Every structure is written in structure tokens, then in C-alpha cells.
Amino acid sequence: MKKQARFFKALADETRLQILWLLLGEEELCVCDIMRALGITQSKASRHLRYLFNVGLVSDRREGAWMYYRMAVPPGSDQEKLIQLLGEMLAGTPEAERVRQKLKNWLEAKTANDQVGCEAS
């Protein structure tokens, strides 16, 4: 039951829930994208992403100086079912929509400025 306890503990933090919510709506995100959407520091974002990585909920890849994260739950697994349920629970809540809108605004601005990574944050 330790594995299941770690999974639910990962969901018991508001910042980690917000990160998962953002990743559910995107193929992958750079750490800086998450920082901008949530208004948190790089160290806080990285700490929570590492926690989610260690539990197996996200995977990462490096591209130059930037780290990118994506959902990594196995298809058809109990984890996937619970993450889908989480997404359904959060969908339409004002805070969840606000966070997604902040991310959308940031990604649009980043694209408009032809930024790679977040060097001009």
C-alpha cells in the first residue's frame, strides 16, 4: 500500500494539483511555463515536479538549458483513471480555469515573442 499512499500524498498538495491540471491540458510544459501560470519560483516548481516525477506521474526531458514535463501515467492503469477523475473534478472550477487562462496568456505571449525556453521571461 506504500505506492498507493505516495500517489495520494502527491495529490494532497494544492501546487501539485495545479501542476497536474496544467499538464492535463498540454502535451508538455517547460518549468518556466508552470512558474508563470502559478506565480511560483523556479525552485518551488522544480521541487514539486521532482516529487511528481518520483511518484511516476510525470516524465521529463532536457532540451538545452530547459526541462520539459509531461504526464506519464500508464494507459489503462488505476492511476490514469484517478487522474482523469481529478481532471473532471477540476474542470469548470473558477480557480482551475483561472490558472489555465494564465498559462494560455503566457504561452501566447511567449510564442508571439519567438521565445525558446524562457530566456526573456
Side-chain angles (χ1 to χ4, degrees), residues 8 45 117:
F8 284 109

Side-chain angles (χ1 to χ4, degrees), residues 57-69:
L57 292 175
V58 301
S59 62
D60 63 1
R61 72 174 180 87
R62 179 175 294 280
E63 187 173 309
W66 312 111
M67 290 297 292
Y68 292 84
Y69 290 86

